[in-house]
């Protein structure tokens, strides 16, 4: 899931400057660092997005002592796909599952259980980018206490034979408790795996050593701002929910607080891992910065303030073989979009 911006040889990219991809949607703004590669090319991972819509993507240059400079812009269209719709349904129905849900939930999608393995990885990606409700667990309620005889999402994933989804659910709040939970038929997830002949699932459940990180961390900075950190790629994304435009310069400054101070970022992530069901308080070492961060998050701007001086215009377009009206980026992006 990579986006590239390629500039002409006559465009100078200062080596001491910072570059960002800014994704502006109707209700969300995402900020991601853009890494220089070679031949005047910048790249970054494409963030997940909560709506099906066209999003403006800008490349911003930041130099010490200067306001951000927009060097070029284009757009990407996020389109809902099967995995995204099914993932949202799983989250909303987690508290009302029955032994028949593994069949009834597929009816609206005209899917069969046999077709689901092809969606295993995409479902994990979709769930990774969903914003789970406060207090949500794999058991489907705000309490992690195990109730008697309930079908959980882990039971459902095992019935479907989805190893990656099952592993992912084990990492989420309530996943460990779901392992020992018998459903209304008295079967645990391991019982269902054995009955279904899912040897990989049997092995994973039998060898499970306790709750692990799902591969990403999310830190809620305020009601309107959140950080998402993907451990494998070390990708950090700042997402801001807004009904009125925030100051771009303030948003970038907030992102930089975490991106360049890794000790500060790691402390925030560790505290969130320790209390996954609670809103994260700012790290104690950054108490003096909390009010400043609140000010940055609540900052607003007028169109005139956002109209920063633009560098030489860069034409942004899709490569010929990727030129299509709508790209299936959705919450689980499956293609690589390149700007040239």
């Amino acid at each position: 899931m990579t986006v590239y911006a390629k500039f002409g040889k006559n465009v100078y990219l200062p080596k001491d400057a910072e570059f960002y991809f800014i994704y502006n949607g109707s209700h969300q703004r995402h900020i991601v660092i853009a890494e220089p590669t070679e031949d005047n090319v910048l790249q970054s991972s494409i963030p997940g997005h909560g709506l099906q819509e066209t999003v403006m993507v800008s490349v911003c240059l930041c130099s010490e002592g200067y306001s951000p400079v927009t060097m070029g812009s284009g757009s990407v269209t996020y389109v809902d796909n099967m995995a995204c719709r099914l993932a949202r349904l799983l989250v909303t129905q987690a508290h009302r599952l029955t032994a028949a849900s593994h069949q009834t939930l597929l009816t609206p999608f005209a899917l069969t259980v046999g077709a689901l393995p092809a969606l295993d990885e995409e479902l994990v990606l979709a769930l990774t980018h969903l914003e789970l409700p406060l207090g949500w667990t794999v058991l489907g309620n705000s309490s992690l206490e195990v109730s008697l005889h309930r079908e959980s999402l882990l039971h459902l994933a095992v019935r479907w034979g989805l190893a990656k989804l099952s592993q992912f659910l084990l990492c989420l709040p309530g996943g460990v408790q779901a392992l020992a939970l018998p459903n209304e038929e008295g079967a645990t997830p391991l019982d269902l795996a054995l009955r279904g002949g899912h040897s990989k699932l049997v092995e994973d459940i039998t060898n499970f050593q306790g709750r692990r990180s799902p591969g990403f961390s999310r830190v809620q900075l305020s009601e309107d701002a959140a950080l998402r950190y993907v451990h494998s790629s070390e990708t950090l994304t700042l997402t801001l929910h807004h009904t009125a435009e925030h100051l771009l310069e303030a948003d970038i400054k907030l992102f930089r607080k975490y991106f360049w101070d890794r000790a500060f970022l790691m402390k925030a992530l560790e505290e969130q891992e320790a209390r996954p069901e609670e809103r994260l308080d700012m790290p104690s070492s950054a108490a003096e910065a909390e009010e400043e961060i609140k000010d940055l998050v609540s900052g607003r701007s007028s169109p005139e303030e956002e109209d920063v001086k633009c560098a030489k215009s860069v034409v942004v377009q899709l490569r010929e073989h990727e030129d299509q009206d709508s790209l299936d980026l959705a919450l689980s992006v499956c293609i690589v979009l390149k700007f040239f």
Side-chain angles (χ1 to χ4, degrees):
M1 304 185 304
T2 305
V3 60
Y4 297 89
K6 183 173 183 178
F7 300 90
K9 294 181 179 180
N10 59 334
V11 177
Y12 174 62
L13 302 182
K15 295 187 181 301
D16 59 347
E18 297 172 10
F19 300 93
Y20 298 90
F21 283 111
I22 312 296
Y23 293 73
N24 277 311
S26 61
H27 293 85
Q28 287 184 329
R29 168 183 281 170
H30 310 289
I31 298 178
V32 186
I33 197 79
E35 299 284 352
T37 56
E38 56 184 21
D39 298 328
N40 267 16
V41 175
L42 302 173
Q43 70 173 27
S44 80
S45 296
I46 299 175
H49 191 64
L51 291 175
Q52 178 174 273
E53 64 176 352
T54 297
V55 173
M56 180 63 65
V57 184
S58 301
V59 181
C60 282
L61 177 153
C62 293
S63 296
E64 195 67 33
Y66 295 91
S67 295
V69 175
T70 301
M71 302 188 67
S73 62
S75 63
V76 295
T77 299
Y78 285 83
V79 181
D80 232 3
N81 64 13
M82 183 77 73
C84 297
R85 294 192 293 272
L86 184 54
R88 286 198 298 271
L89 185 64
L90 294 182
V91 170
T92 58
Q93 298 298 308
H95 64 292
R96 57 179 68 174
L97 298 177
T98 69
S101 293
H102 68 292
Q103 296 174 328
T104 58
L105 288 183
L106 298 180
T107 302
F109 303 95
L111 282 173
T112 64
V113 174
L116 285 174
L119 290 177
D120 195 5
E121 185 171 358
E122 287 191 48
L123 275 172
V124 171
L125 287 172
L127 285 168
T128 296
H129 289 290
L130 276 182
E131 292 186 21
L132 301 175
L134 186 64
W136 184 93
T137 78
V138 172
L139 304 179
N141 57 31
S142 58
S143 171
L144 291 179
E145 295 181 4
V146 176
S147 58
L148 295 177
H149 303 292
R150 290 184 56 185
E151 187 89 2
S152 71
L153 282 178
L154 186 59
H155 288 85
L156 186 73
V158 171
R159 288 183 187 273
W160 285 346
L162 302 184
K164 292 181 180 179
L165 178 59
S166 298
Q167 291 172 3
F168 182 77
L169 292 174
L170 283 171
C171 299
L172 297 183
V176 174
Q177 287 81 353
L179 270 179
L181 179 67
N183 64 7
E184 58 196 39
E185 299 173 335
T188 65
L190 179 58
D191 294 331
L192 295 178
L194 289 167
R195 292 179 193 173
H198 304 301
S199 56
K200 180 66 168 65
L201 283 167
V202 171
E203 180 182 351
D204 290 342
I205 293 174
T206 302
N207 297 329
F208 184 68
Q209 298 296 316
R211 188 172 183 269
R212 303 181 297 261
S213 167
F216 74 95
S217 297
R218 187 175 184 274
V219 179
Q220 193 73 35
L221 302 180
S222 73
E223 185 178 348
D224 294 325
L227 288 168
R228 181 177 294 274
Y229 183 73
V230 180
H231 298 272
S232 59
S233 62
E234 297 187 339
T235 300
L236 184 69
T237 302
L238 171 64
T239 296
L240 299 114
H241 300 266
H242 53 88
T243 53
E245 290 293 326
H246 290 255
L247 271 170
L248 176 59
E249 190 167 1
D251 290 348
I252 291 176
K253 186 177 180 181
L254 177 59
F255 177 89
R256 294 181 80 252
K257 277 185 175 292
Y258 288 88
F259 185 84
W260 293 113
D261 189 345
R262 285 307 165 106
F264 183 56
L265 173 61
M266 290 301 113
K267 183 172 179 61
L269 296 178
E270 288 168 4
E271 292 191 8
Q272 179 68 7
E273 283 292 321
R275 297 182 293 140
E277 280 71 56
E278 302 177 20
R279 180 188 176 278
L280 176 73
D281 293 324
M282 297 303 296
S284 56
S285 62
E288 69 279 3
E290 183 169 2
E291 287 304 316
E292 181 183 358
I293 288 176
K294 288 180 180 178
D295 292 339
L296 290 175
V297 171
S298 62
R300 292 184 177 182
S301 67
S302 64
E304 291 77 15
E305 290 173 313
E306 285 288 337
D307 187 20
V308 296
K309 181 179 179 181
C310 291
K312 186 166 183 176
S313 177
V314 179
V315 178
V316 182
Q317 61 184 12
L318 294 174
R319 294 171 64 177
E320 289 185 5
H321 68 276
E322 291 171 349
D323 187 10
Q324 53 192 40
D325 293 333
S326 59
L327 300 170
D328 189 15
L329 296 174
L331 300 179
S332 55
V333 186
C334 299
I335 66 169
V336 176
L337 173 66
K338 296 186 179 182
F339 285 131
F340 285 95

